[in-house]
Short mmCIF file of all heavy atoms in Angstrom, two decimals:
data_model
loop_
_atom_site.label_atom_id
_atom_site.label_comp_id
_atom_site.label_asym_id
_atom_site.label_seq_id
_atom_site.Cartn_x
_atom_site.Cartn_y
_atom_site.Cartn_z
N VAL A 21 -35.06 37.50 -17.84
CA VAL A 21 -34.20 38.66 -18.14
C VAL A 21 -32.86 38.14 -18.66
O VAL A 21 -32.25 37.25 -18.05
CB VAL A 21 -33.99 39.52 -16.88
CG1 VAL A 21 -32.99 40.64 -17.16
CG2 VAL A 21 -35.31 40.09 -16.41
N SER A 22 -32.40 38.68 -19.78
CA SER A 22 -31.14 38.21 -20.36
C SER A 22 -30.10 39.32 -20.49
O SER A 22 -28.97 39.06 -20.90
CB SER A 22 -31.39 37.59 -21.74
OG SER A 22 -31.96 38.54 -22.62
N GLY A 23 -30.47 40.57 -20.13
CA GLY A 23 -29.51 41.66 -20.24
C GLY A 23 -29.94 42.87 -19.43
O GLY A 23 -31.10 43.00 -19.02
N ILE A 24 -28.99 43.76 -19.19
CA ILE A 24 -29.24 44.95 -18.37
C ILE A 24 -30.19 45.92 -19.07
O ILE A 24 -31.01 46.58 -18.42
CB ILE A 24 -27.91 45.64 -18.02
CG1 ILE A 24 -27.01 44.69 -17.23
CG2 ILE A 24 -28.15 46.92 -17.24
CD1 ILE A 24 -27.63 44.20 -15.92
N ALA A 25 -30.09 46.04 -20.38
CA ALA A 25 -30.96 46.96 -21.11
C ALA A 25 -32.43 46.58 -20.92
O ALA A 25 -33.29 47.44 -20.70
CB ALA A 25 -30.61 46.97 -22.60
N GLU A 26 -32.73 45.27 -21.01
CA GLU A 26 -34.10 44.79 -20.77
C GLU A 26 -34.55 45.15 -19.36
O GLU A 26 -35.67 45.62 -19.14
CB GLU A 26 -34.17 43.27 -20.88
CG GLU A 26 -33.95 42.67 -22.21
CD GLU A 26 -34.05 41.16 -22.15
OE1 GLU A 26 -33.57 40.54 -21.18
OE2 GLU A 26 -34.59 40.61 -23.11
N LEU A 27 -33.67 44.90 -18.41
CA LEU A 27 -34.01 45.16 -17.01
C LEU A 27 -34.29 46.63 -16.78
O LEU A 27 -35.27 46.99 -16.11
CB LEU A 27 -32.87 44.68 -16.10
CG LEU A 27 -33.07 44.91 -14.61
CD1 LEU A 27 -34.34 44.22 -14.11
CD2 LEU A 27 -31.85 44.41 -13.82
N ASP A 28 -33.46 47.50 -17.36
CA ASP A 28 -33.67 48.94 -17.19
C ASP A 28 -35.01 49.37 -17.77
O ASP A 28 -35.72 50.21 -17.19
CB ASP A 28 -32.53 49.72 -17.85
CG ASP A 28 -31.25 49.68 -17.03
OD1 ASP A 28 -31.34 49.36 -15.82
OD2 ASP A 28 -30.17 49.95 -17.58
N GLU A 29 -35.35 48.82 -18.92
CA GLU A 29 -36.63 49.17 -19.55
C GLU A 29 -37.80 48.71 -18.67
O GLU A 29 -38.79 49.44 -18.49
CB GLU A 29 -36.72 48.51 -20.93
CG GLU A 29 -37.90 48.99 -21.76
CD GLU A 29 -37.92 48.39 -23.15
OE1 GLU A 29 -36.91 47.76 -23.56
OE2 GLU A 29 -38.96 48.54 -23.84
N ALA A 30 -37.68 47.51 -18.10
CA ALA A 30 -38.73 47.00 -17.22
C ALA A 30 -38.82 47.84 -15.94
O ALA A 30 -39.92 48.14 -15.46
CB ALA A 30 -38.45 45.54 -16.87
N ILE A 31 -37.67 48.25 -15.40
CA ILE A 31 -37.67 49.06 -14.17
C ILE A 31 -38.32 50.41 -14.43
O ILE A 31 -39.06 50.94 -13.58
CB ILE A 31 -36.23 49.23 -13.64
CG1 ILE A 31 -35.72 47.88 -13.09
CG2 ILE A 31 -36.17 50.30 -12.55
CD1 ILE A 31 -34.27 47.90 -12.66
N ASN A 32 -38.07 50.99 -15.60
CA ASN A 32 -38.69 52.28 -15.93
C ASN A 32 -40.22 52.17 -15.93
O ASN A 32 -40.91 53.06 -15.41
CB ASN A 32 -38.20 52.76 -17.30
CG ASN A 32 -36.76 53.24 -17.26
OD1 ASN A 32 -36.25 53.62 -16.20
ND2 ASN A 32 -36.08 53.23 -18.40
N LEU A 33 -40.74 51.09 -16.50
CA LEU A 33 -42.18 50.90 -16.50
C LEU A 33 -42.69 50.63 -15.08
O LEU A 33 -43.77 51.10 -14.69
CB LEU A 33 -42.56 49.73 -17.41
CG LEU A 33 -42.36 49.99 -18.92
CD1 LEU A 33 -42.51 48.71 -19.72
CD2 LEU A 33 -43.36 51.05 -19.41
N PHE A 34 -41.91 49.91 -14.30
CA PHE A 34 -42.28 49.65 -12.91
C PHE A 34 -42.35 50.96 -12.12
O PHE A 34 -43.32 51.20 -11.38
CB PHE A 34 -41.25 48.70 -12.28
CG PHE A 34 -41.42 48.48 -10.81
CD1 PHE A 34 -42.44 47.68 -10.33
CD2 PHE A 34 -40.57 49.08 -9.90
CE1 PHE A 34 -42.60 47.46 -8.97
CE2 PHE A 34 -40.72 48.88 -8.54
CZ PHE A 34 -41.74 48.07 -8.07
N GLU A 35 -41.35 51.83 -12.28
CA GLU A 35 -41.33 53.11 -11.56
C GLU A 35 -42.49 53.99 -12.00
O GLU A 35 -43.07 54.73 -11.19
CB GLU A 35 -40.00 53.82 -11.79
CG GLU A 35 -38.79 53.10 -11.23
CD GLU A 35 -38.82 52.97 -9.71
OE1 GLU A 35 -39.68 53.60 -9.05
OE2 GLU A 35 -37.98 52.24 -9.16
N ARG A 36 -42.84 53.91 -13.27
CA ARG A 36 -43.99 54.68 -13.77
C ARG A 36 -45.27 54.21 -13.09
O ARG A 36 -46.10 55.04 -12.66
CB ARG A 36 -44.08 54.51 -15.28
CG ARG A 36 -45.30 55.17 -15.91
CD ARG A 36 -45.25 55.00 -17.42
NE ARG A 36 -46.57 55.23 -18.03
CZ ARG A 36 -46.83 55.06 -19.33
NH1 ARG A 36 -45.85 54.67 -20.14
NH2 ARG A 36 -48.04 55.28 -19.81
N ALA A 37 -45.43 52.87 -12.97
CA ALA A 37 -46.62 52.33 -12.31
C ALA A 37 -46.63 52.71 -10.83
O ALA A 37 -47.68 53.04 -10.27
CB ALA A 37 -46.65 50.81 -12.47
N VAL A 38 -45.48 52.68 -10.18
CA VAL A 38 -45.38 53.07 -8.77
C VAL A 38 -45.83 54.51 -8.58
O VAL A 38 -46.60 54.83 -7.66
CB VAL A 38 -43.93 52.88 -8.25
CG1 VAL A 38 -43.76 53.54 -6.88
CG2 VAL A 38 -43.59 51.40 -8.16
N LYS A 39 -45.37 55.38 -9.46
CA LYS A 39 -45.71 56.80 -9.35
C LYS A 39 -47.22 57.01 -9.53
O LYS A 39 -47.85 57.76 -8.76
CB LYS A 39 -44.95 57.59 -10.42
CG LYS A 39 -45.17 59.09 -10.36
CD LYS A 39 -44.32 59.81 -11.41
CE LYS A 39 -44.56 61.32 -11.36
NZ LYS A 39 -43.75 62.03 -12.39
N GLU A 40 -47.81 56.32 -10.52
CA GLU A 40 -49.24 56.48 -10.78
C GLU A 40 -50.09 56.00 -9.60
O GLU A 40 -51.03 56.68 -9.17
CB GLU A 40 -49.62 55.70 -12.05
CG GLU A 40 -49.05 56.30 -13.33
CD GLU A 40 -49.38 55.46 -14.55
OE1 GLU A 40 -50.19 54.51 -14.42
OE2 GLU A 40 -48.83 55.73 -15.64
N ILE A 41 -49.75 54.83 -9.06
CA ILE A 41 -50.55 54.27 -7.95
C ILE A 41 -50.31 55.05 -6.67
O ILE A 41 -51.23 55.23 -5.86
CB ILE A 41 -50.24 52.77 -7.76
CG1 ILE A 41 -50.59 51.99 -9.03
CG2 ILE A 41 -51.02 52.21 -6.57
CD1 ILE A 41 -52.03 52.14 -9.48
N ALA A 42 -49.09 55.54 -6.48
CA ALA A 42 -48.80 56.35 -5.28
C ALA A 42 -49.63 57.62 -5.28
O ALA A 42 -50.18 58.03 -4.24
CB ALA A 42 -47.31 56.67 -5.22
N GLN A 43 -49.73 58.26 -6.45
CA GLN A 43 -50.53 59.48 -6.56
C GLN A 43 -52.01 59.17 -6.33
O GLN A 43 -52.72 59.90 -5.63
CB GLN A 43 -50.32 60.11 -7.93
CG GLN A 43 -48.93 60.70 -8.13
CD GLN A 43 -48.71 61.20 -9.56
OE1 GLN A 43 -49.50 60.92 -10.46
NE2 GLN A 43 -47.63 61.95 -9.76
N GLU A 44 -52.46 58.06 -6.92
CA GLU A 44 -53.86 57.66 -6.75
C GLU A 44 -54.16 57.34 -5.29
O GLU A 44 -55.22 57.71 -4.76
CB GLU A 44 -54.11 56.42 -7.63
CG GLU A 44 -55.52 55.86 -7.54
CD GLU A 44 -55.66 54.58 -8.35
OE1 GLU A 44 -55.38 54.61 -9.57
OE2 GLU A 44 -56.02 53.55 -7.76
N ALA A 45 -53.22 56.67 -4.61
CA ALA A 45 -53.41 56.31 -3.20
C ALA A 45 -53.45 57.55 -2.32
O ALA A 45 -54.25 57.63 -1.37
CB ALA A 45 -52.30 55.37 -2.75
N ALA A 46 -52.60 58.51 -2.63
CA ALA A 46 -52.52 59.73 -1.81
C ALA A 46 -53.84 60.50 -1.83
O ALA A 46 -54.25 61.08 -0.82
CB ALA A 46 -51.38 60.61 -2.32
N ILE A 47 -54.53 60.49 -2.97
CA ILE A 47 -55.82 61.18 -3.08
C ILE A 47 -56.82 60.61 -2.09
O ILE A 47 -57.66 61.32 -1.54
CB ILE A 47 -56.36 61.06 -4.53
CG1 ILE A 47 -55.43 61.81 -5.49
CG2 ILE A 47 -57.78 61.58 -4.63
CD1 ILE A 47 -55.80 61.62 -6.95
N HIS A 48 -56.70 59.29 -1.82
CA HIS A 48 -57.63 58.61 -0.90
C HIS A 48 -57.03 58.45 0.49
O HIS A 48 -57.54 57.68 1.32
CB HIS A 48 -58.01 57.24 -1.46
CG HIS A 48 -58.75 57.31 -2.76
ND1 HIS A 48 -58.11 57.30 -3.98
CD2 HIS A 48 -60.08 57.40 -3.03
CE1 HIS A 48 -59.01 57.37 -4.95
NE2 HIS A 48 -60.22 57.44 -4.40
N GLY A 49 -55.95 59.17 0.75
CA GLY A 49 -55.37 59.17 2.09
C GLY A 49 -54.54 57.94 2.42
O GLY A 49 -54.32 57.63 3.59
#
């Protein structure tokens, strides 16, 4: 990582993945 803009973009993708897997996990309890 060399700048904040890169980090923010990576965090956005990370949060998107967290949301998707959290929803998938909730379906299976």
Side-chain angles (χ1 to χ4, degrees):
V21 174
S22 60
I24 299 301
E26 293 180 321
L27 179 58
D28 284 342
E29 189 177 349
I31 290 175
N32 287 337
L33 290 170
F34 173 75
E35 296 296 350
R36 175 177 162 184
V38 168
K39 183 177 179 180
E40 291 177 9
I41 299 303
Q43 290 175 348
E44 179 184 303
I47 295 174
H48 297 89

